[in-house]
Structure formats: structure tokens, C-alpha cells
Amino acid sequence: QLMLDYHYFMKNKVLLGSFHTYSRYSGPREAVFTVLCRKNFGCTHFIIGRDHTGVGNYYDKDASIKIFNQIDVDMNILPFNTVYYSTKENIISDKIAGNNDLLPLSGTVIRDSLKSNGCVPDYTVEKSVKQLIENCYSNNPIDLFVE
């Protein structure tokens, strides 16, 4: 809602909604399930990470992306691998290209940082969103994450 309020998205082009479900940690099968559910809600695109709801090393790290090469769900699947923040160039990229200044960027980084020191790393999210997350965590850390 905050990002809509601050006009990060074009007016009347974004619908904010929620999809109430829980993680089954079933990797590629869960990726297909989630895509079909979102499609039924009218979504046209789905962004999927390299380890979509997998557990440890049980599934191949790209299994949830590769499954969409085998089946057609009639939806635009947007795969991505690990994303990094370059401290030298001050950019976010999925390119590694020999840089040694790269910091991984993920929900895990944000969760771990909040749990260890109550702060979200500056490079991970926009400043107003960072403040909102930190305020929510300091007021009631139990309700911010479901584990």
C-alpha cells in the first residue's frame, strides 16, 4: 500500500490484493500450484526465483524454474537467479562478472538482518519501505514473519 501511496506505480494500473495460503515447501510442484492459483485470480505474469519454496538441497536449485520448460501454464513466467547489490557501482544486478563487491539481495538477507539487529540493510529496499518494515518489526516482531 505504501508504494501505491507514494506513486511508485501508475494510477489505476495496479491492483493490490493478497493471496492467503501457506508454504508447503514442495519446490516445483508448489511453483505450479501457485502459478495456477494466481492465474485464476487474473494474473498474467509470475516472477519465480531459483529456489521457490524448496527446502535445503532436496530439489535442484533451478527445479522450480525448469519445470515451466516442460509444461505450459499459459502465463508469462519470469525466472530470475540470485540478485546482487554492487557496493562499487551502487546498482542491483544478477550479473556476477568477477566483481568482488557484491552483496546478495534476498528476503532471507532482510529477515536475517532484522532478527540479528532489528534493521533492514539500506541497499535492499526503498527508504520508506525500509522504515515501515523496521517499525513493524520493532513494534511486534512475532507478527511480521510466519515460520
Side-chain angles (χ1 to χ4, degrees):
Q1 184 61 53
L2 183 70
M3 294 185 79
L4 290 173
D5 293 345
Y6 280 96
H7 307 290
Y8 285 97
F9 303 109
M10 292 175 58
K11 189 173 183 170
N12 299 323
K13 295 289 182 181
V14 173
L15 173 67
L16 178 64
S18 62
F19 177 58
H20 295 284
T21 188
Y22 58 91
S23 181
R24 292 152 182 85
Y25 299 103
S26 58
R29 292 175 296 166
E30 184 159 355
V32 172
F33 169 76
T34 305
V35 164
L36 293 175
C37 290
R38 302 258 168 97
K39 181 179 174 186
N40 287 338
F41 275 92
C43 295
T44 58
H45 293 72
F46 185 76
I47 301 170
I48 186 163
R50 60 172 170 68
D51 63 350
H52 183 86
T53 64
V55 177
N57 294 324
Y58 187 81
Y59 297 102
D60 179 58
K61 73 175 192 166
D62 294 324
S64 293
I65 292 173
K66 290 177 182 175
I67 196 164
F68 293 104
N69 294 331
Q70 300 170 18
I71 61 172
D72 180 15
V73 291
D74 193 29
M75 196 165 168
N76 295 303
I77 305 299
L78 307 171
F80 73 91
N81 287 312
T82 303
V83 179
Y84 299 93
Y85 172 72
S86 169
T87 57
K88 285 182 195 171
E89 299 175 35
N90 193 29
I91 61 169
I92 294 173
S93 175
D94 64 346
K95 307 293 184 232
I96 298 172
N99 290 353
N100 59 356
D101 70 314
L102 300 176
L103 302 172
L105 183 61
S106 70
T108 301
V109 168
I110 293 170
R111 283 188 302 274
D112 290 349
S113 182
L114 272 172
K115 289 176 183 177
S116 67
N117 64 21
C119 296
V120 175
D122 291 337
Y123 68 92
T124 57
V125 295
E126 198 279 331
K127 187 176 180 178
S128 59
V129 175
K130 170 184 162 52
Q131 290 171 344
L132 177 68
I133 293 170
E134 289 173 354
N135 288 341
C136 288
Y137 187 76
S138 66
N139 290 331
N140 196 351
I142 294 170
D143 288 341
L144 191 57
F145 301 115
V146 176
E147 295 187 42

